[in-house]
Amino acid sequence: MTSPSDPGSVYPVGLRLAGRRVVVVGGGQVAHRRVAGLLESRALVTVVSPEVTPALEALVAPGSVTWHERRYAEGDLAGAWYAVAATDDPAVNAAVAAEAERDRVFCARADDRSASSVWTPAVGRQG
């Protein structure tokens, strides 16, 4: 039997997140890239972070993103379909992933691919 973190046991899938709640924990450059992609898929994005980059703040300003200007707290993933743990603190990312696992929410950890229940593939766009 393979473990959940065994890279050979990956099943490729696309997520239809339009109108569905997605929580991104973190406010740096990685979080910004994830939020931008999530907005393209019309997800309802909530960011939890004491601070965000100016580029991410620009997405918050027009109301496209809900920003909770604070540290992550247990329960932040309630009602989420998908989560991204993108802080620079491995303990916080682990806590987000643990809550996601407990609540059956797929979670991408930006800092530890092997501890993620889902991976975000690289995407190339032309035009």
Side-chain angles (χ1 to χ4, degrees):
M1 176 167 212
T2 60
S3 73
S5 62
D6 176 7
S9 63
V10 173
Y11 183 79
V13 66
L15 298 175
R16 291 186 174 167
L17 295 172
R20 294 185 170 140
R21 183 169 191 262
V22 175
V23 177
V24 177
V25 180
Q29 292 179 359
V30 172
H32 174 254
R33 287 194 308 270
R34 298 301 181 259
V35 167
L38 290 164
L39 290 175
E40 285 181 17
S41 52
R42 299 188 327 261
L44 303 176
V45 180
T46 297
V47 172
V48 179
S49 181
E51 299 174 344
V52 296
T53 63
L56 186 48
E57 190 169 12
L59 296 175
V60 172
S64 299
V65 176
T66 300
W67 177 23
H68 295 293
E69 196 172 344
R70 59 172 173 73
R71 293 184 58 82
Y72 162 78
E74 183 77 22
D76 280 343
L77 304 187
W81 287 72
Y82 183 64
V84 177
T87 76
D88 58 3
D89 184 340
V92 172
N93 291 341
V96 172
E99 178 180 349
E101 184 72 19
R102 187 190 68 239
D103 293 348
R104 296 182 180 180
V105 175
F106 282 104
C107 180
R109 275 186 68 170
D111 66 331
D112 188 351
R113 179 177 184 239
S114 67
S116 297
S117 59
V118 64
W119 300 333
T120 305
V123 176
R125 292 187 174 90
Q126 291 183 330

